[in-house]
Amino acid sequence: MPFITIDVLRDDINRETKKELIRKISEVVTTVLNKDPHLTHIMINEIEDDNWGYAGEQVSVLKEQGFSTAPKK
């Protein structure tokens, strides 16, 4: 029984994106591991910017300095 945990920044994901992420990851697990999708569990943890560190700094501080976690266009 696969149990998959995904950590994301809270501001970077919405309900539709979560729905698509869960669907596509389930498809991959079904295809690659040959697992029944009814036995695959996916948990998405939304982390506040203050609780995520990158390059020695909080993401909230990095964003204040112009760092962006938005998708590149």
Side-chain angles (χ1 to χ4, degrees), residues 30-56:
T30 299
T31 302
V32 174
L33 298 179
N34 196 29
K35 295 292 184 178
D36 182 343
H38 295 100
L39 300 175
T40 299
H41 299 262
I42 299 169
M43 181 171 59
I44 298 172
N45 294 319
E46 297 178 77
I47 312 297
E48 296 289 342
D49 291 352
D50 283 342
N51 297 333
W52 193 298
Y54 171 75

Side-chain angles (χ1 to χ4, degrees), residues 1-69:
M1 166 173 51
F3 187 90
I4 299 160
T5 304
I6 303 163
D7 294 333
V8 296
L9 290 170
R10 182 175 303 263
D11 292 341
D12 290 349
I13 194 162
N14 59 41
R15 186 175 189 186
E16 288 304 312
T17 302
K18 290 177 201 176
K19 183 178 178 179
E20 182 178 4
L21 188 59
I22 289 168
R23 183 180 57 78
K24 287 186 176 184
I25 289 172
S26 293
E27 288 174 4
V28 167
V29 169
T30 299
T31 302
V32 174
L33 298 179
N34 196 29
K35 295 292 184 178
D36 182 343
H38 295 100
L39 300 175
T40 299
H41 299 262
I42 299 169
M43 181 171 59
I44 298 172
N45 294 319
E46 297 178 77
I47 312 297
E48 296 289 342
D49 291 352
D50 283 342
N51 297 333
W52 193 298
Y54 171 75
E57 189 62 79
Q58 288 173 294
V59 168
S60 56
V61 173
L62 292 170
K63 283 182 174 180
E64 289 169 2
Q65 298 170 351
F67 179 82
S68 175
T69 57

